[in-house]
């Protein structure tokens, strides 16, 4: 019997690439930008409509939660129920949400229904009717949503970090009080819509089995008729968030009896408009952005402290932040945080290996290529760019820029963004157990005990 | 467009499905093993899922960490998941990296390499997974983990907690690992599915190259897990100390997904009519008109979709609502809507539901790993990968049975009702 040598490990194949192909990018007279790309693998169109909301303040948190729901609760001549039926009848779907930068609508429809879905989207975004009964119902639903989020330790931890990184700014994503939700009046919601939801500064992205020029034409006949509005022009965007107080100590949010601690570590960083952003993206990937990253290798695969630790860059239109998260067993909280800080220090002071750099380059490029390969994925990616004041070709330029990042650039980005001294640390957990254990690492401040 | 579905079986019994799509630059690979948490014996709860973790810990020619490094280093993603009737591993990659993924999957199908150290490491990781998803989380595991299965089923196989108890996880040994692998991870108990940017001929050549020499092993016949229907409504209540508001779930035993296919398909259609999206009847009634609930949805015994489980299984309606006192009114409104369906549903009421499901089907197919995963389930459980492309037509054909199914299966005697009582501060 002959023993065959094991087959060689195959190579990874050609470097992944991204090509947008034919694209139409026009601005309609009312100020709305329309970007369309043909992708014909399935007989659908994917649409993403974003309205820049202007200088939103923290006090608008309640309106940001209620308005997207009210858009679907009745508009034009249709009740909420009639609108839901009209959407379903043509095999379409519509979702709405808002953040301090944008009001967003995501829709899909069969390719032959593009004109109808654009008509419905126009009514939804431009002509909500705020029916009295529906306002009352949505207020109660949002109140319940707020109660549930307040009880969710993952959300509490994320919000506590954001509050520290964006003090007093809407990017802190404050949870409105139940009382403020219940007080939100129909008039106030309508006024928020009138003042902030306008076609200027807004954008429509369409990706699907359609001719890009036909999209532009269909948009002109629907969203193009949306009047530019007569209210005061909202300022361009939220104000630039001021720098947070320098990071100090560990904030422990007490959650009695918690069997896990939710670690959040983060700092503000440069955003996509900074030329060093591609290097930062690769640094974050090496640090904690993939399964093979240092964070996952250490916390999960070596120590078994946690299931799914990760790190990433949270991008807003006017700011960005590095954030690191790990949900760890209560008894290993301090050891886990020590390992996070050790890995941060290693990133900030020593070079990444050539293999780490090449591997993360391929991974990030591959993920961009794959998310751009579906209609819905590409629509989302392009909407993210356009909403961030970037042009679609940025996507190809970003992939090219990733290819040129060298180890030195990654080191520079790491030293700038990942130094442990610059990090804010939040721990949601049982302070009676973890506060003392954390004290050798840093000053500990406990809230909620 | 005409979908190509090319299936074959290797000499060692491994089934292979190829779904080529020349319009994309992405390729996906899924490997389905015909074992899930239903096959765990008493004392080994959670073992199928723990074993899924162990399959990422190294194999004959790949040290711990190498599979993730190779897949991600090619620009790809990977994951795995465990369900009542299957354990699934998948990758999605740039087209040129398919061969690399096949190498990795074949290597671990041939021989995973599990050490005592890796076993304890992954037991710790799985415990943290359970803590983050269940023990430390409001509504964690509701209603699929410990609420509905023991109400709807009597046998250990069907009723037990598939995440496992910490005691059982701690008791897992390397001997258990070897036994489980030998018994369930044979080529003839698996399906390899490839979807996306590859032509069928080269896909088959590559699969043969990497999997062809894995020795054939006998597959133990899969036992029947069937058990009688309920003899009357059953109820349970559980306090969730983290939850600020109540929730309830009504689970119904449903027709055999495979043996009674048309009725099962009609059940899927009925579930969509009642709960899918804001045009659904239960949303319209409970949330929009009666304002009894903040949210209503459906979940399946196979967990993430209607198409991952064999018989016996269930469909549950899950409702979140503001006040514990509303439960009976909610249940009674749901009963009214089921009665209305049983009294007759005009085709015009189902056409919009079918239009919605058809569009969702296309979106699903556009994501290659989801297509590979779904086609793999259909091949493994029904020998019909092609169903992944025919689902919308199949559901349309079941429309005339929707009322009958509502009348025959959705009566109180065939259900379990579980109520989650909030114990959290609000």
């Amino acid at each position: 019997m002959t023993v065959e040598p094991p087959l060689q490990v195959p190579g990874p194949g050609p470097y992944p690439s991204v090509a947008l192909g034919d694209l139409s990018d026009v601005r309609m007279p009312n100020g709305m930008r329309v970007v369309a790309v043909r992708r014909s693998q399935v007989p659908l169109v994917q649409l993403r409509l974003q309205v820049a909301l202007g200088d939103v303040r923290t006090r608008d948190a309640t309106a940001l939660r209620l308005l997207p729901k009210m858009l679907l609760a009745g508009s034009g001549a249709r009740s909420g129920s009639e609108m839901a039926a009209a959407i379903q009848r043509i095999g379409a779907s519509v979702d709405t949400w808002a953040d301090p930068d944008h009001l967003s609508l995501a829709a899909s429809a069969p390719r032959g229904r593009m004109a109808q879905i654009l008509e419905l989207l126009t009514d939804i975004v431009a002509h909500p009717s705020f029916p009295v009964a529906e306002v009352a119902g949505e207020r109660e639903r949002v109140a319940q949503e707020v109660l549930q989020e307040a009880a969710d330790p993952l959300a509490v931890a994320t919000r506590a970090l954001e509050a520290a990184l964006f003090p007093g700014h809407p990017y802190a994503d404050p949870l409105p009080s139940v009382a403020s939700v219940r007080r939100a009046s129909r008039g106030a919601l309508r006024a928020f819509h009138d003042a902030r939801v306008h076609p200027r500064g807004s954008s429509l992205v369409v990706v699907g089995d359609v001719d890009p020029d036909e999209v532009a034409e269909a948009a002109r006949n629907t969203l193009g008729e949306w009047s530019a509005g007569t209210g005061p022009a909202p300022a361009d965007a939220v104000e630039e968030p001021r720098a947070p107080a320098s990071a100090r100590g560990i904030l422990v949010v007490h959650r009695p009896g918690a069997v896990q601690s939710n670690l959040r570590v983060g700092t503000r960083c440069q955003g996509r408009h900074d030329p060093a952003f591609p290097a930062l993206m690769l640094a974050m990937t090496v640090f904690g952005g993939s399964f093979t990253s240092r964070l996952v290798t250490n916390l999960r695969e070596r120590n078994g402290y946690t299931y799914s630790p990760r790190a990433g860059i949270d991008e807003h239109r006017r700011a960005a932040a590095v954030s690191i998260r790990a949900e760890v067993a209560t008894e290993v909280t301090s050891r886990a945080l020590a390992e996070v800080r050790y890995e941060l220090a290693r990133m900030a002071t020593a070079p990444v290996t050539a293999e780490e750099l090449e591997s993360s380059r391929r991974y990030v490029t591959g993920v961009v290529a794959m998310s751009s390969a579906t209609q819905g994925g590409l629509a989302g990616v392009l909407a993210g760019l356009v909403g961030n004041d970037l042009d679609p070709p940025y996507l190809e330029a970003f992939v090219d820029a990733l290819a040129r990042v060298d180890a030195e650039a990654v080191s520079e980005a790491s030293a700038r963004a990942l130094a442990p001294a610059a990090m804010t640390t939040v721990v949601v957990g049982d302070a009676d157990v973890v506060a003392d254990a954390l004290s050798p690492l840093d000053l500990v401040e406990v809230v909620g005990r | 467009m005409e979908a190509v579905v090319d299936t074959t079986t290797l000499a060692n019994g491994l089934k292979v499905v190829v779904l080529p799509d020349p319009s994309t630059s992405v390729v996906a690979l899924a490997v389905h093993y015909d074992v899930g948490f239903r096959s765990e014996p008493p004392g080994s709860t959670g073992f199928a899922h723990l074993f899924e973790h162990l399959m990422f810990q190294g194999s004959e020619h790949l040290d711990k960490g190498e599979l993730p490094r190779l897949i991600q280093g090619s620009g790809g993603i990977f994951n795995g998941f465990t369900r009542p009737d299957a354990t699934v591993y998948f990758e999605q990659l740039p087209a040129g990296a398919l061969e690399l993924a096949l190498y990795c999957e074949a290597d671990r199908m041939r021989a995973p390499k599990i050490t005592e150290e890796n076993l304890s490491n992954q037991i710790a990781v799985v415990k943290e997974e359970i803590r983050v998803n269940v023990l430390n989380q409001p509504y964690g595991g509701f209603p699929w983990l410990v609420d509905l299965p023991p109400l709807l089923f009597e046998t250990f196989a069907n009723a037990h907690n598939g995440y496992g108890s910490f005691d059982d996880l701690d008791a897992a040994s390397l001997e258990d690992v070897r036994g489980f692998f030998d018994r369930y991870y044979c080529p003839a108990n698996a399906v390899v599915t490839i979807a996306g940017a590859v032509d069928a001929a080269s896909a088959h050549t590559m699969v043969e190259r990497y999997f062809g020499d894995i020795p054939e092993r006998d597959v133990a016949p899969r036992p029947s897990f069937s058990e009688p229907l309920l003899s009357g409504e059953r109820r349970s209540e559980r306090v969730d100390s983290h939850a600020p508001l109540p929730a309830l779930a009504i689970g119904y035993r449903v027709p055999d997904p495979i043996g009674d296919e048309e009725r099962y398909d009609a059940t899927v259609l009925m579930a969509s009519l009642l709960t899918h999206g804001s045009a659904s009847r239960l949303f319209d009634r409970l949330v929009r008109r009666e304002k009894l609930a903040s949210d209503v949805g459906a979940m399946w015994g196979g967990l993430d979709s209607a198409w991952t489980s064999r018989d016996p299984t269930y469909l549950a309606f899950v409702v979140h609502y503001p006040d514990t006192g509303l439960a009976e009114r909610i249940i009674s409104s749901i009963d009214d809507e089921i009665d209305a369906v049983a009294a007759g549903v005009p085709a015009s009421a189902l056409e919009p539901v079918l239009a919605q499901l058809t569009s969702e089907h296309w979106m699903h197919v556009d994501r290659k790993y989801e297509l590979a995963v779904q086609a793999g389930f259909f091949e493994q459980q029904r020998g019909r990968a092609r169903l992944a492309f025919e689902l919308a037509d199949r559901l349309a054909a079941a429309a005339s049975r929707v009322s009958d199914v509502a009348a025959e299966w959705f009566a109180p005697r065939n259900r379990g009702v579980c109520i989650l009582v909030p114990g959290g501060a609000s």
Side-chain angles (χ1 to χ4, degrees), chain A residues 127-201:
Chain A
H127 308 297
S129 54
F130 301 95
V132 174
E134 302 263 11
V135 172
E138 292 297 345
R139 271 199 304 243
E140 279 313 304
R141 290 183 72 203
V142 170
Q144 290 165 43
E145 193 181 284
V146 165
L147 286 171
Q148 282 166 350
E149 273 187 50
D152 178 352
L154 307 178
V156 170
T158 298
R159 192 165 278 117
L161 177 64
E162 285 169 344
L165 297 182
F166 300 106
H169 192 274
Y171 288 164
D173 188 24
L175 195 60
S177 72
V178 168
S180 79
V181 171
R182 292 202 167 119
R183 269 200 315 270
S185 73
R186 180 170 180 260
L189 290 170
R190 187 185 278 285
F192 184 88
H193 181 271
D194 287 349
R196 300 196 174 276
V197 181
H198 293 279
R200 61 175 170 270

Side-chain angles (χ1 to χ4, degrees), chain B residues 6 56 69 113 124 126 136 163 234 251 256 282 303 309 357 385:
Chain B
D6 196 312
F56 291 94
R69 187 177 59 77
K113 196 165 57 192
V126 166
N136 202 40
Y163 250 148
R234 302 180 64 182
D256 181 340
L282 285 177
L303 300 187
S309 179
L357 291 172

Side-chain angles (χ1 to χ4, degrees), chain B residues 206-411:
Chain B
M206 281 190 268
V207 172
E208 179 65 46
R209 183 182 308 149
Y210 292 100
F211 292 84
D213 69 345
I214 300 175
E216 181 183 3
R217 305 203 297 280
D218 286 344
V219 180
R222 186 178 180 276
S224 164
F225 293 107
S226 74
E227 51 175 291
L229 295 177
L230 279 61
S231 50
E233 183 183 271
R234 302 180 64 182
R235 291 201 175 207
S236 71
E237 216 175 80
R238 166 163 75 95
V239 176
D240 179 337
S241 64
H242 303 301
L245 298 170
L248 68 80
I250 312 184
Y252 294 85
R253 291 278 298 275
V254 291
D256 181 340
I258 299 157
D260 195 1
E261 198 167 73
E262 199 182 14
R263 279 196 189 78
Y264 186 79
D265 293 351
T267 307
V268 175
L269 211 44
M270 188 192 81
S272 288
L273 176 70
L274 287 178
T275 67
H276 194 37
S278 57
S280 68
R281 290 183 174 190
L282 285 177
F283 183 92
D284 194 52
R285 177 158 181 165
L286 293 174
V287 179
R288 196 180 275 125
R289 285 191 283 122
E290 296 180 341
K291 299 186 172 32
L292 295 172
S294 61
D295 190 38
V296 56
M299 65 148 301
W300 297 91
L303 300 187
D304 33 17
S305 100
W307 311 110
T308 60
S309 179
R310 295 191 178 97
D311 188 65
T313 186
Y314 66 87
L315 163 67
F317 302 123
V318 184
V319 186
H320 289 264
Y321 55 106
D323 185 330
T324 35
L326 297 172
E328 294 311 317
R329 283 178 64 193
I330 290 169
I331 294 168
S332 135
S333 288
I334 291 175
D335 283 340
D336 279 357
E337 290 302 324
I338 289 171
D339 289 346
V341 174
V345 182
S348 62
L350 290 171
E351 277 157 16
V353 176
L354 285 163
Q356 182 183 23
L357 291 172
T358 303
S359 292
E360 284 170 10
H361 158 74
W362 285 119
M363 267 185 265
H364 196 79
V365 166
D366 199 18
R367 293 188 287 267
K368 292 303 160 197
Y369 75 92
E370 290 199 32
L371 175 61
V373 165
Q374 185 163 74
F377 271 110
F378 283 136
E379 185 62 26
Q380 183 153 76
Q381 300 185 350
R382 302 158 191 247
R384 290 156 69 197
R386 178 171 287 282
L387 275 180
F389 292 108
E390 294 170 349
L391 217 40
D393 293 340
R394 282 266 314 274
L395 290 173
S400 64
R401 307 299 293 267
V402 169
S403 303
D404 294 348
V405 163
E408 290 162 23
W409 289 80
F410 286 79

